[in-house]
Amino acid sequence: MMEQQRQGAVNIGEVLRDIPTTAVRVITNSASFFREMPKAGGFVEPIIFAAGIGLASGVATVILAIFGLGYAHSFGSAILYLVLMPFFTPLFGFLGALILYIIWKILGSQESYETAYRCGAYASAITPLTTLINVIPYIGGIIGLLWFTYLVVVASSEVHSIDRKKAWTVFGIIFIIFAIMSLTSEFAARR
């Protein structure tokens, strides 16, 4: 029992240490990453990864706030992002995974909810970068949505064995809906 606890702590340390390398792999070689991603193994690793990505996004928010950019309207609210993002990123990942799981099941995937969570958690690797890109008016949010859509399509193909054209059609429609909502809300906020 004590050996298992010690081994678990070592694994958590390894996951923490590997967050930057894993994120770079997701960003630079998505197809290879998702093809080789373990479909099972528990929720601990993807939760820790998502929390680390949330922390990095919080840091990006603080950096933007120093220059008066981004969504945080004050340095204090940026610090709040820094504190809350490591908790909310993996937590909301469970809801996002449920939505992806349902869509993937409709498209014919035989994979589990755990696999859907893993795909979503690792796709969150782009979040610190999209936090920075979002400062570009109108187009920043669209770039982030398109990038995430691309990662979901790659995961659909490589992990869930769904035809890429079918995945692009379904997730492309979802992208268009979210892009319109994003642009509409940004136009309204800027008025």
Side-chain angles (χ1 to χ4, degrees), residues 94-164:
F94 283 103
L95 178 60
L98 178 61
I99 293 166
L100 288 171
Y101 175 73
I102 291 168
I103 294 169
W104 279 324
K105 281 295 182 189
I106 291 169
L107 293 175
S109 174
Q110 300 300 311
E111 301 301 334
S112 68
Y113 172 78
E114 178 189 348
T115 302
Y117 184 82
R118 286 173 163 268
C119 291
Y122 291 116
S124 75
I126 65 172
T127 308
L129 295 174
T130 59
T131 298
L132 297 173
I133 293 170
N134 277 340
V135 301
I136 303 169
Y138 305 109
I139 197 167
I142 301 300
I143 292 169
L145 281 170
L146 185 58
W147 196 356
F148 186 76
T149 301
Y150 167 75
L151 291 176
V152 170
V153 169
V154 170
S156 298
S157 172
E158 299 298 335
V159 177
H160 297 273
S161 301
I162 296 167
D163 178 67
R164 279 208 187 203

Side-chain angles (χ1 to χ4, degrees), residues 30-72:
S30 316
S32 174
F33 175 82
F34 283 113
R35 191 177 313 115
E36 297 166 5
M37 179 193 81
K39 296 179 182 182
F43 289 93
V44 174
E45 286 184 30
I47 287 171
I48 292 170
F49 179 82
I53 292 300
L55 179 62
S57 297
V59 169
T61 301
V62 169
I63 291 168
L64 290 173
I66 290 169
F67 297 103
L69 300 169
Y71 292 113

